[in-house]
Amino acid sequence: AHVSLINSEIGDEVRGLYMLEPYDPAKIPVVMVHGFWSSAITWTEMFNDLRANPVINQRYQFWFYMYPTGQPFWVSAKQMREDLADVHQTLDPESKSLALDQMVLVGHSMGGLISYLQTVDSGDQIWKLLSDQPFENLQGDPEVINDLRKTLFFTANPQVKRVVTLAMPYQGSDIANPTTRWLGRSLFKLPQLLIKGNSELVKQNPGLFRNEDLLTIDTSVDSLALDSPFFVALSQVRPAPWTRYHNIYGRYQPTSAYERWEQYVWGEGDGVVDVEKAQFPYAHSTDEVDGRHMTIHHSAKSIWIVRQVLLQHLADSAPPQLQDPRSRPPIMMAETPNVPLPENLPRPFAKLDAPIEEMAHGDLDLSTVRPASHAESAVPTHEPPPAIRQSSGRFLPAIPDAARLR
């Protein structure tokens, strides 16, 4: 994860979707998207707890999205759109799987922004921040122009029906201060096409751009700054009407003088994203968790909420007559056996070298996990029982090496 953060060209080699078991067209995909300075390993605890629920294990399949975390989040969002489209074409070229059209995204931190951007129509709102002239007037390298077009103009993915965000900096983060931004520019190595291409466009189109900031921002830290122009565009675009959103944010309780001082300086929140900046206006449910930014998705309460959301998603998507929002004829979810992936998979699809349990340092211990009762599975109340609130939420030892995901 750290290598892919510092050198995005190396990180791009492991970019893509990773699965733990053969693709099953009868199971709904849950795509988990990690955040800044992280990798798919960060989902170990939540994944194992969710899979311990027999209903979730039977009806869902878990995929993990990896991406270089040193580049601006809107670049990663563009790449994820392309990767999801490639995967859909590979696995379901005739669009016969209803389960694939009920996809759930779960994103932590910057991964929440990337997940949300899969579900919005950009229109020309982002381009209008850059220029008041038509995009077609842009002159330069066709490859760079096409890449910029796909970054600035996009439509919502009709397959994504639900998004869960944890500690998402919807309005940016104070952590992107002058010091961290300088460090980011000094340490991160980004693809030369991204850096030189945008700079050349500015030079070759004098007077076309009224705001060049969106083109000159080339690190994830800069992209998350409160003054990042992309957040202005993000407030103007509208999410897809067929997608439901669930937002979880952190507000840790200080237990020492230092933590009280820290909260006074940075504001109340998870230590990275304050409560105000974490509010998501389109959320159908919003929950507060006592936790820090880097570990909020490990907390028992967060895991419990995600579990309830997934169970509710099953109840909402159960009728086989459910139609795609773009009016595609409905197709029954048949009892289909596991279908192995093709031998020569195109990027960005890959399989883990070993089951996640075998990659752990110790044996899987699910003794503290209590499967949901039928009554609990019906409607999420988003308020876990005391036993869950008091639990540490740690169910599996850490996985040793992200390189195993290559």
Side-chain angles (χ1 to χ4, degrees):
H2 297 170
V3 173
S4 68
L5 171 68
I6 296 174
N7 191 332
S8 290
E9 292 180 336
I10 295 177
D12 197 56
E13 297 176 3
V14 298
R15 192 195 92 215
L17 282 161
Y18 291 80
M19 63 192 312
L20 297 174
E21 55 191 2
Y23 168 65
D24 187 341
K27 288 186 175 183
I28 298 173
V30 177
V31 183
M32 310 187 94
V33 188
H34 63 80
F36 179 73
W37 200 290
S38 187
S39 72
I41 308 302
T42 195
W43 295 110
T44 299
E45 295 170 28
M46 179 177 288
F47 161 72
N48 279 284
D49 189 15
L50 295 175
R51 199 173 63 163
N53 181 284
V55 176
I56 290 176
N57 189 45
Q58 181 183 13
R59 299 293 301 278
Y60 287 101
Q61 54 192 325
F62 290 85
W63 300 347
F64 301 86
Y65 188 69
M66 294 269 286
Y67 64 96
T69 67
Q71 62 191 11
F73 66 84
W74 50 81
V75 175
S76 299
K78 183 263 295 183
Q79 293 173 342
M80 186 176 180
R81 279 191 292 273
E82 296 172 342
D83 293 345
L84 287 176
D86 289 345
V87 165
H88 181 267
Q89 181 60 33
T90 301
L91 297 180
D92 190 28
E94 298 181 3
S95 298
K96 292 183 177 180
S97 172
L98 181 61
L100 199 58
D101 280 351
Q102 296 297 322
M103 185 179 295
V104 179
L105 306 184
V106 181
H108 171 240
S109 186
M110 189 165 68
L113 290 170
I114 294 170
S115 299
Y116 172 58
L117 283 172
Q118 307 306 306
T119 66
V120 299
D121 289 332
S122 67
D124 59 0
Q125 295 298 325
I126 305 175
W127 173 248
K128 284 182 177 178
L129 291 176
L130 291 171
S131 175
D132 53 8
Q133 299 186 34
F135 185 83
E136 288 69 25
N137 291 357
L138 194 60
Q139 302 295 317
D141 185 332
E143 183 181 2
V144 176
I145 291 177
N146 185 53
D147 190 69
L148 183 63
R149 183 194 302 273
K150 290 187 291 186
T151 303
L152 302 181
F153 299 92
F154 48 87
T155 57
N157 187 336
Q159 295 176 298
V160 180
K161 298 300 193 296
R162 203 170 294 258
V163 175
V164 183
T165 54
L166 299 102
M168 176 178 66
Y170 177 71
Q171 302 176 56
S173 172
D174 288 315
I175 201 68
N177 55 54
T179 301
T180 57
R181 296 170 76 172
W182 175 81
L183 286 172
R185 299 185 196 111
S186 303
L187 294 175
F188 301 160
K189 181 180 179 182
L190 299 169
Q192 292 303 304
L193 177 64
L194 175 66
I195 300 174
K196 293 183 178 179
N198 289 347
S199 299
E200 288 299 316
L201 285 181
V202 174
K203 294 179 182 178
Q204 294 171 16
N205 296 272
L208 187 141
F209 297 106
R210 61 183 176 190
N211 185 345
E212 303 171 1
D213 291 347
L214 201 62
L215 293 176
T216 57
I217 289 176
D218 53 20
T219 72
S220 54
V221 178
D222 282 337
S223 74
L224 294 171
L226 297 176
D227 60 356
S228 171
F230 202 91
F231 288 112
V232 177
L234 206 60
S235 66
Q236 297 173 355
V237 298
R238 293 295 178 265
W242 57 80
T243 304
R244 297 185 68 83
Y245 302 92
H246 306 271
N247 188 37
I248 302 172
Y249 67 91
R251 189 203 302 259
Y252 74 90
Q253 301 302 318
T255 58
S256 66
Y258 172 78
E259 289 184 343
R260 285 190 289 272
W261 172 84
E262 183 182 46
Q263 200 169 78
Y264 174 78
V265 172
W266 297 105
E268 292 190 3
D270 60 19
V272 173
V273 181
D274 68 40
V275 171
E276 180 184 354
K277 299 299 187 294
Q279 299 308 304
F280 182 47
Y282 304 111
H284 294 82
S285 69
T286 298
D287 292 277
E288 180 179 301
V289 172
D290 180 4
R292 288 279 192 164
H293 185 81
M294 296 301 293
T295 57
I296 187 173
H297 54 306
H298 299 168
S299 80
K301 182 176 179 180
S302 294
I303 295 172
W304 189 89
I305 293 170
V306 175
R307 187 191 75 175
Q308 297 303 94
V309 167
L310 292 180
L311 293 173
Q312 181 62 42
H313 186 61
L314 290 176
D316 293 344
S317 60
Q321 294 81 14
L322 183 67
Q323 294 193 21
D324 182 90
R326 295 184 179 175
S327 300
R328 204 181 68 201
I331 299 172
M332 295 285 289
M333 260 196 297
E335 291 297 327
T336 309
N338 284 348
V339 178
L341 289 171
E343 289 296 327
N344 299 318
L345 278 174
R347 287 185 71 246
F349 223 144
K351 293 185 290 186
L352 291 174
D353 293 338
I356 201 164
E357 294 91 339
E358 296 178 11
M359 297 167 64
H361 284 299
D363 296 330
L364 182 65
D365 179 14
L366 297 177
S367 59
T368 60
V369 179
R370 179 174 57 81
S373 67
H374 200 66
E376 290 176 336
S377 303
V379 179
T381 63
H382 294 191
E383 184 58 35
I388 297 294
R389 287 200 298 267
Q390 296 168 8
S391 169
S392 67
R394 310 186 71 85
F395 303 120
L396 184 70
I399 296 176
D401 189 0
R404 299 292 299 276
L405 294 173
R406 294 181 184 178

